[in-house]
Amino acid sequence: MKWITRANVKVDRVACPWLILRFIDARAEFLFVPEEQLLETARREGAIPFDATRFPEVKLNHRGERCTFEALLEDYSLSDPVLHRLALIVRGADVKGQEHLCCESLGLRAIAQGFAFSGISDEERLAKEFPLYDALYEYVRQKPNEQ
């Protein structure tokens, strides 16, 4: 399946492709386009749009204070508690005002911003950041639940 989002990916638009490939669609292809081309390109390519908050018709989006990563967990019935704890880190890194959710969120935000500043393509960002999400998943999996 093809999936499409806005170009210049950062936290949620890297975390979502990681989640999709690892837990939803192992053969997923990702397209990155300027925001104004998103809906037209999605229709033309038969791609599932995600994380395009300017477009209310995009189903996989932020929902209230929750990020798109959380919408994917909900819509694809992913119940792994590790993913749900990871989602809070992603939300805190992605959504301004939610930084307090997890101490790891500000670090993840800084890493994502660093990759954005590097000037590499969106595809390269995914390739370089996916191992970080793999490691963060393992960290959360092994870390005792904290209240």
Side-chain angles (χ1 to χ4, degrees):
M1 190 68 196
K2 290 182 183 177
W3 302 75
I4 189 167
T5 193
R6 299 171 287 132
N8 194 26
V9 298
K10 291 191 184 77
V11 178
D12 212 9
R13 285 175 286 135
V14 174
C16 288
W18 174 85
L19 180 66
I20 290 164
L21 276 172
R22 298 292 191 266
F23 297 92
I24 297 170
D25 180 2
R27 296 174 44 174
E29 292 178 52
F30 296 97
L31 306 172
F32 307 99
V33 297
E35 186 174 43
E36 63 275 3
Q37 296 173 16
L38 188 114
L39 295 178
E40 177 188 327
T41 305
R43 278 190 290 277
R44 185 176 67 246
E45 295 289 331
I48 299 171
F50 66 94
D51 201 53
T53 56
R54 208 177 105 210
F55 301 111
E57 59 265 60
V58 172
K59 182 179 174 193
L60 293 170
N61 249 327
H62 286 218
R63 295 177 181 167
E65 64 182 21
R66 297 179 318 139
C67 64
T68 305
F69 190 95
E70 292 168 292
L72 283 164
L73 292 177
E74 181 179 348
D75 287 8
Y76 288 88
S77 302
L78 298 173
S79 59
D80 178 354
V82 176
L83 289 176
H84 284 265
R85 288 183 10 228
L86 179 58
L88 294 177
I89 297 171
V90 171
R91 184 198 317 168
D94 189 62
V95 180
K96 287 189 178 24
Q98 296 287 317
E99 299 86 355
H100 66 281
L101 288 175
C102 297
C103 61
E104 299 87 356
S105 294
L106 287 176
L108 181 58
R109 180 182 290 174
I111 290 166
Q113 194 62 53
F115 277 106
F117 288 152
S118 74
I120 60 176
S121 71
D122 289 324
E123 293 80 9
E124 288 176 284
R125 288 185 205 178
L126 296 188
K128 291 183 178 208
E129 290 186 64
F130 276 13
L132 299 172
Y133 281 91
D134 291 335
L136 192 55
Y137 177 88
E138 190 60 27
Y139 165 79
V140 171
R141 189 179 76 77
Q142 303 253 352
K143 181 181 172 190
N145 277 335
E146 295 177 359
Q147 299 301 326

